[in-house]
Amino acid sequence: MASPLSLRLLPLLLAGGLTACVSVGPDYRAPAVAVPAAWQAPSPEATATPESLASWWQQLADPQLSALVADALAANPDLDAARAALRAARASRDATAAQRAPSVGASGGVTRSTTLGAQRTLYDAGFDAAWELDVFGGLRRAVEAADADSAAALADLRATRVSLVAEVALNYIDLRAAQMRLAIARANLESQSETLQITRWRTQAGLASALDVEQARSNRESTRAQIPTLDTSRAAAEHRLAVLTGRTPGSLHDVLAVADGAKGGLLPRLPASVALSIPAEALRQRPDITAAERRLAAATARVGQAEAARYPSFSLGGSIGLQALGLSTFTGGGQVARSLAASVSGPVFDAGRLRAQVEAQDALREQQLAAYRKAVLAALEEVQNALVAVADTRQREAALTDAADAARNAALYARHRYTSGLIDFQTVLSTERSLLTLEDSLASAEAARLTALVQLYKALGGGWSPGDATETSPIATGSTP
């Protein structure tokens, strides 16, 4: 005959055997996605490493840009929100994992009662314990899903960092390009004002007509009209940079201002080569791809969690209590009460509700699979487009550089020949207009080439590394640019 002790341990032994069962539902396997072996790059590029991509903006050799990036990483609200989301996901994971462990509670009390005029005080204290046995792996699947959610939140934080760094760089390029174009417009305005004055002198001397004067004035005022639009673009980029770095719009005006007439050397320097990783490495580097893959893993685990809900659940419970009429008798003369219980419950009839929940969760898994494949294809597309843009903008900038040089020479020759009376005024107007257009286009082309480079590094997933301080807490405030 079994002893009382063995009978008491029987539920625990049974629990140990039951919890060794295999989890129900599908086991997650990362989906296979066809990835090209190499990019269809228009020109060979330098091999990228995680280190070179982590701080790619340093290759532009612009201290002010680097300082703005540091400030944005320290104070940007979107990054703060992503950090908080990561904290919440990790806390949720810990709470889910805690459900697999037994829970123990303590209680105590004092009861005073009067019976036939006699008062009695009863002291009691006890402990209660409960444990839900994860027989079919529902809780294990929940922890798997929570782990994947936490990893996705970390990837989202890294993706926010990638986007933030790129946005700071793009707006900085827009700002410097607008300042260059403003300087070009003002320089041309000054030159056209001199042409107008020369035309007036020639008209007074009877060497030109009033028509020439009005055409020169129209040309000058047309250039003047472009300045407010360019200044609006400059202000918008400046204000955006302030907001990205956690400041109020307008607070960076004095810091980012340039000397009057400065139109060269404002844009960051282009690196000699572009750090380019192979497609498979680029996909591993991109945090948005990681986030999509982890969300697929979480959805897969939740299919098993929903499936486990269709099976019986087992639980153990126990309590031990002590009652005494006085505090001094608690350890000696108190009464001890013990209990140990095991229970099982399971669905009998639910009109297909649990089966429908499994089906719904499986549909969500398929949705996340489609989202993952879409993210991969979009990433490959972004890199290929950026590579083409880098090559094409390089060619466009080279052609416009030669064209602008020729236009400057043509404008200079035209003014001298007009002053000497060798050509008509229409030639002067044509060369001045061409010069303004080409110099403005060249400034835009230089900015476009830098923009394409920034977009390439963003498409490659550059801007983060596993040791970033932003993954746990705000980094130290960067130096003010």
Side-chain angles (χ1 to χ4, degrees), residues 93-158:
R93 186 269 173 205
D94 292 342
T96 301
Q99 297 179 25
R100 299 186 62 189
S103 62
V104 179
S107 61
V110 179
T111 304
R112 287 186 178 180
S113 61
T114 302
T115 304
L116 300 176
Q119 290 188 348
R120 187 177 67 169
T121 302
L122 179 66
Y123 298 88
D124 65 89
F127 293 92
D128 299 311
W131 185 20
E132 181 180 350
L133 307 181
D134 193 19
V135 177
F136 296 102
L139 291 177
R140 286 193 292 274
R141 293 301 192 190
V143 173
E144 287 180 23
D147 280 336
D149 285 337
S150 180
L154 175 58
D156 286 338
L157 172 58
R158 291 170 172 172

